[in-house]
Every structure is written in structure tokens, then in C-alpha cells.
Amino acid sequence: MSTLKAERPLFSYPKYWAECYGTAPFLPTTREEMDALGWDSCDIVLITGDAYVDHPSFGMAVIGRVLEAQGFRVGIIAQPDWSNKNAFMDLGKPNLFFGVTAGNMDSMINRYTAEKRMRHDDAYTPDNIGGKRPDRAVVVYSQRCREAYKEVPLVIGGIEASLRRIAHYDYWQEKVRRSIIFDAKADILIYGNAERPLVEVAHRIAKGDSIEDIQDVRGTAVIRKTPLPQWRGSDSTAIDKVGKIDPIPNPYGADDVGCSKSEFTKAGIDLSADTAKPITIQPPRLKPWEKVYVKLPAYEQVSVNKPLYAHASRILHQETNPGCARALFQRHGDRYIWVNPPAFPLETHEMDAVFGLPYQRVPHPSYGDAKIPAYDMIKTSVNIMRGCFGGCSFCSITEHEGRIIQSRSEESIIEEIEQIRDKVPGFTGVISDLGGPTANMYKLRCKSKKAESTCRRLSCVYPDICKHMDTDHTPTIDLYRKARDVEGVKKILIASGVRYDLAIEDPRYVKELVTHHVGGYLKIAPEHTEQGPLSKMMKPGMGTYDKFKALFDKYSKEAGKKQYLIPYFISAHPGTTDEDMVNMALWLKSNDFKLDQVQNFYPSPMANATTIYHTEMNSLRNIKNNKEQVSVPKGARQRRLHKAILRYHDESGWPMIREALRAMGKANLIGKGPNCLVPEEGRAQRSKANHKGKGGQAALTRHTGFGQFKKANTKPKVAGNRQRVK
């Protein structure tokens, strides 16, 4: 169990007076449903871009049920018509506040592929119909809430708001956007898993506190003119040196990179120090990070200066440990975004209580027989934990859920399996997953209390597994065995990604997994074979994969089963050269892998890899004197080439690959030999190319126009209330 504990348990608040109405079978979505419950109004109205599925893998259902358990009357408006305010008034004026989220996924990632092509489906919508939520849904929904009831407090959250809490690079507009709280005109932004901060905010509004007084809740961000009273400032450049930067004209007339030096001189802070000095106030004696904020470079600075953007990104990722994180303070024009330190993780008994609430575990009855693909995917899966300490640079889990693992008890998990058996229509005896962001981090923790509360590492397993990290998989093994013994359960599969560098530290786990929980194929994610991109992904080398494969093959043979590993790779990731892709394709061919589902790198907001993509600098290291220029595949041509190389067996990409190999001086890889990547052009193809025009090479370039490239399956992976963007 984590040593990081909140001052107040999640369910310790006195219940709001409306608890007398009891528990709703489904949270109401219409006035008629409210009338049936005897409600004259809702205390809180939640707006979501997803269909309403009353299941603990859907974030809005979790939030709604948690607030209901606090005594509030909660209504849900799911996928409203955003063309005007009318749909946002369907449940009437909420007594306390609106809560707005885009849904389980970022609305832009949900709507567009990595190549910025529009999708025409949506797994979180009945019958998989696309277009049922707007682009930048949090902003649009918030605007409509303001139009409906201007005076009602507005709270935004979910992954879309969470990953845009400070100035951030936006892949779709290819520019740095300001914090989403300004565009949404929201009163409070909640980032990360929202239960703890949202419950506190709800009770404070309920007892009459004004929004202006609710500024210090952990896990929230608010707009301010000045820092919170009695907090001391620390300049970001004193923590992480930027080095020489070019002067930037500022439209607001200020020339500061972070804080004004005069502010720190008055506060007695020495900015010439290489590191931030502890600041204490006596009495009582505070820890160096308590009541301290870090002033980041202003939005106007990071939007035009890439080194400063990389610097600000480094600071944000260093201030994510709830035990020692400082608040963040970033100017946007004449106002500031104030980001409080992260909320403390839920303890096991709190997790159990959240997952033990009275979910119906099915979509709202109003959808009838319509299929909701995301629900069908997870309806027989169980989320056993939250958080991830892997720190993969391309992944959004750590930025949203944090690095502290929050695990449920065995009893709670077994009870949910029994509920699935008894409640889920058409249950066949197969549990599709026992997992979470990662399959095998259940109850793993830092063994050092001091390290857990003060560590600022980006990853507990890269470049090597930290000596303080527990790698004993006994809790997971015991859980698997007890789950298999549940009456009526025939098979339990593990569909969440296995962190194989952790797994090989405990071969007993690999044996248990391979013997009982693999359905013929196990997907794992080396992501790449070459050290250049792997170092920017913060992923282990292929030697670790080889060790895991040896154990996998050994235990599969001992079990008398023919089972196979399916490796997952990313193309066009920052740090990847054309030659890196060719080497990976040769590895795939030598191991007889032919990948059908391929994903180009998708720059999600706030991820470390997105910072590298935008700045072409290695922001995983100190920016001062960091002259490393990172190779970043950009533009449609190079990104499509990298995907084509990864799918070397697809003949639609062969002309493009041949052209690239010749340009790289690797024409020897074109031919029939076992060491060749693609075959020579056929006679008909050469004749067609020559017929198109003169010059050979020019004709070939025209012939391989990108319109002929076969589109791969690039749907994002959806899994419960988590999102992993690759």
C-alpha cells in the first residue's frame, strides 16, 4: 500500500441532505426519469461525449455514482446536440454545478487518425456511429453550459482537460495552445482521476463556499491573478537550467522567462543557484516543496520558443509525485493558470468502495438493442488497478493517472467477477481481462517510504528497474488462482499489456500467465528494435524481449500448448530514422512477423514524446547545453514511408520502399534473396512506370502517389476508463 495518504478518506464526508432520495437504478437522463425518482431538480449535471454506460470502466458512470454516494442528486446528459443550448437545459438548472468531460477518450484522438484523417466510427457511441461529439468537446460543451445557465459554476475534467492543463502543443493545429481552462471559460479544472478532488469541490460548493474560495484543492487547476496567499515562488529556470535562448518580443510587454527577478530578491531567493533552495517557514517546519510554487515560462514564451517549451514540459513531468510536487504557475496574458499539486492516490479500501457502487453494468435502457463497441469490449473485463510507473514517453497514462499504483483488494475483484457472472447478459464463462493500464503491476510499489514520497524520476523501470521497486508478482499470481476458482468461470484471459521487463524478474508469473491465461496469442509491445527510438520511448532493448520470449516458449512447451507472441511496434516515433525503420523491418522479416495493424506515432497533448516531436530536442534530459537534435519523422510522405516499411510484406508499399532504399544506398535490399526486404519491380510494373513519363525516377515518384497507399487499421486502443495513445 502506498505511504502517500490524503488527510481525509473519500467517503468520510457527511452526506448531502438529498441522500434521502436513495439510489437511482440509472442516473437520470431525462425529466421523466427525474420525475419517477421524485426529484424536482438535479444538484449536479454531468455532460459527457460518450454514451451513458453504467459500468465502472466508464469514467462518467464512476463519477456519477461516487457523487450519488455522497448524497447528491446527479443527472447525466450524454452526447448532447451541441448546435445550441437547448439540450443542455433538458435536466434544468443544476443546484450546485455542471461537470463537463469529453468522455473516456480525447475528442480529437477519438475523431481523427494519426494521419489527421477523419474517422467515421466511434466505439463509445451506439451502433458505432461517428460524429456524435464535437471536436474539442470540453470547450464546446462548456460554452453551451454557459449559454444555458451563465451563473452556474462550471467544472471540467476527464482526459481531454487533464492533458491540456497548461500551455500545450496541439498536433491538429500544429501550434501551442493555451490551457484549456481559458478556452472553456471554466471555474475549475480537475486533472487525473477525479474522485478525491471532485468530492471535496462538491461538498465545499454545497456548504456555500464561492468558487473564488475553492482554489487550493489538490488535483485541480484554477485561473488567478496572483499566487495563493502564503505560498513562496521558485523560478523554473533555477530548477532546470535552460541555457542561452533567443530574446522573444512579448505582446504583453513583460520580458520575463519565468518570475520577475525582483520578486525573488524580495523573497530572499537566490536565482544564481544551480538548484532550487528549500524554503521553510517557522513554525511549523515545512518540507522544501510545501507551500512552494514553480513559475513556468509564460504561454506567450513557450508558444514561440521551443527550448522554453521543452523546459516547461520537463518541469511539469518532474512535479507529478503527490508526495513532493510543487504547484505550477503559468502566465497567460494578464492572468495565470494555478495548478495545485496532484491529488493523493486512492487507498485500497477507497478503490474497493468506488468499484463496489451499485452499477447496473449495462448501457442505459434508452439505447435499446444498439451495440456500443467499447462496452462490448470490456463488459466481461475487470479493472484491478490504476496508474503506471513505466513512464513510456508516448503514453498518456502517467500524465493522467500518475505513477503510483492503486490496487483493489482480492475480495473486491472476486466480487466483481461474480457480478459479471450473474448480471452480464450472455456471459459465457470467459473473463476477457484482469488488468488495467498494465497487466502485471498489481500491488507493486516502492519499497522505500522516503523514495516513494520524494522521487522525481520519470520512470521506475527505465533505463533500469529501480532498486527500490518491488518486482514480486506473488499478489498477482494469487489473484489469478483465486479468480480461476470462481464458480461458473471457465477461462480468464489477460488482455492488458504485459510489462515484460518486470515479468522476467519473476519467472513464476510468466509460467502462471502462459500456462493458464493466454488464449493462443499474447500481445506485447517492444515498440521498436533500435536503440535510437527506444531511448526516446524510454523502453528496454530487445535483449529483454528475447529473455521474455525464451520463458514464454519454455513454459508454453511445458504446458503442452502452441502459443505465440505478437509484438506491437510504433512507426514514425521521434528519434526514428529511415534506417532504423529498415533495420526493424529486417528483424521482423527474419522472425517471420507480418504485421497487419500498424500505428504511426500519435502526438497526444502533454506526452514527453510529443514535446520531442514539437521541439526536436531531447526533453528527457536537461535542456541546458543539450545540443542533441532528435530525428523526428514529420510530414505525410515520411510518416507513410515508415508505416510502409513496417508493413514490408504489403505490396502496395513496395514502390515507396524501393525508392527510399535506393536513396539510402541500400539497393542491395531489393531482390529475391533471404536478406532482401522487398522484391524487384515486375515487368508489368516497370512497363507501367516507364509509360507514365520520362526520367524513370520522376515517373516512379508519380506512380507511387500516396493516394494508392493502403490504409491500415489505425483505430485507437480503448480499454475501460483509460487511454493509451501510441
Side-chain angles (χ1 to χ4, degrees), residues 203-488:
H203 280 289
R204 289 178 66 171
I205 293 177
K207 74 176 185 178
D209 288 4
S210 68
I211 289 296
E212 290 72 23
D213 295 329
I214 307 174
Q215 305 278 287
D216 58 348
V217 179
R218 295 182 71 103
T220 69
V222 294
I223 298 173
R224 292 186 59 83
K225 288 281 190 179
T226 60
L228 286 179
Q230 300 180 351
W231 285 62
R232 295 288 188 91
S234 176
D235 186 80
S236 62
T237 57
I239 299 170
D240 185 78
K241 295 289 187 180
V242 184
K244 186 178 184 299
I245 60 172
D246 296 329
I248 307 168
N250 191 316
Y252 293 92
D255 60 358
D256 62 307
V257 171
C259 292
S260 165
K261 292 186 178 181
S262 61
E263 294 180 35
F264 296 111
T265 302
K266 294 176 183 177
I269 300 172
D270 181 9
L271 291 184
S272 65
D274 291 333
T275 59
K277 296 182 181 297
I279 301 173
T280 59
I281 302 173
Q282 300 289 348
R285 185 175 179 82
L286 298 178
K287 295 175 182 176
W289 52 83
E290 292 180 327
K291 295 291 183 180
V292 175
Y293 67 88
V294 180
K295 192 170 185 184
L296 298 175
Y299 160 71
E300 289 76 20
Q301 302 283 350
V302 300
S303 63
V304 294
N305 187 288
K306 292 182 178 180
L308 282 181
Y309 183 92
H311 161 75
S313 174
R314 277 180 54 78
I315 295 297
L316 178 136
H317 285 88
Q318 289 173 7
E319 303 298 332
T320 57
N321 184 342
C324 62
R326 291 162 283 206
L328 302 177
F329 197 52
Q330 185 180 50
R331 180 168 58 79
H332 289 60
D334 61 350
R335 296 179 295 171
Y336 290 81
I337 177 74
W338 173 276
V339 183
N340 285 293
F344 287 110
L346 297 185
E347 297 180 49
T348 295
H349 69 90
E350 293 174 315
M351 285 276 285
D352 290 352
V354 168
F355 281 85
L357 293 170
Y359 306 99
Q360 295 291 334
R361 308 193 68 84
V362 294
H364 190 274
S366 62
Y367 302 125
D369 295 330
K371 298 293 185 181
I372 301 175
Y375 167 70
D376 290 337
M377 182 183 297
I378 55 81
K379 65 183 179 182
T380 62
S381 70
V382 180
N383 197 332
I384 64 175
M385 44 78 70
R386 289 179 179 173
C388 180
F389 52 73
C392 299
S393 66
F394 52 82
C395 181
S396 64
I397 292 172
T398 299
E399 284 81 0
H400 183 59
E401 294 193 0
R403 285 191 290 273
I404 306 297
I405 301 302
Q406 305 161 67
S407 300
R408 297 168 63 186
S409 69
E410 288 181 352
E411 294 75 18
S412 172
I413 294 166
I414 297 301
E415 181 180 350
E416 184 170 354
I417 293 174
E418 292 171 344
Q419 288 184 2
I420 292 173
R421 177 196 64 195
D422 299 337
K423 290 185 176 182
V424 174
F427 177 63
T428 62
V430 178
I431 297 296
S432 59
D433 188 25
L434 285 184
T438 305
N440 58 321
M441 288 186 182
Y442 178 66
K443 290 193 176 181
L444 296 189
R445 64 199 186 281
C446 183
K447 294 180 289 187
S448 166
K449 292 182 179 181
K450 181 178 180 181
E452 183 182 49
S453 61
T454 60
C455 181
R456 296 179 185 273
R457 280 183 58 163
L458 299 180
S459 170
C460 301
V461 293
Y462 183 87
D464 298 300
I465 297 175
C466 176
K467 64 180 181 179
H468 297 303
M469 178 49 61
D470 181 12
T471 58
D472 181 3
H473 285 58
T474 298
T476 311
I477 295 171
D478 290 344
L479 174 64
Y480 287 179
R481 291 173 178 173
K482 291 179 181 179
R484 292 200 303 269
D485 289 339
V486 174
E487 183 180 355

Side-chain angles (χ1 to χ4, degrees), residues 49 135 168 193 352 713:
D135 292 353
H168 56 280
N193 293 119
D352 290 352
N713 185 348

Side-chain angles (χ1 to χ4, degrees), residues 68 83 104 113-114 116 254 315 324 335 357 381 466-468 513 591 632 645 680 689:
E68 179 188 55
S83 61
N104 274 21
T113 70
K116 302 180 183 179
I315 295 297
C324 62
R335 296 179 295 171
L357 293 170
S381 70
C466 176
K467 64 180 181 179
H468 297 303
L513 175 71
N591 286 275
V632 177
I645 294 173
E680 288 276 6

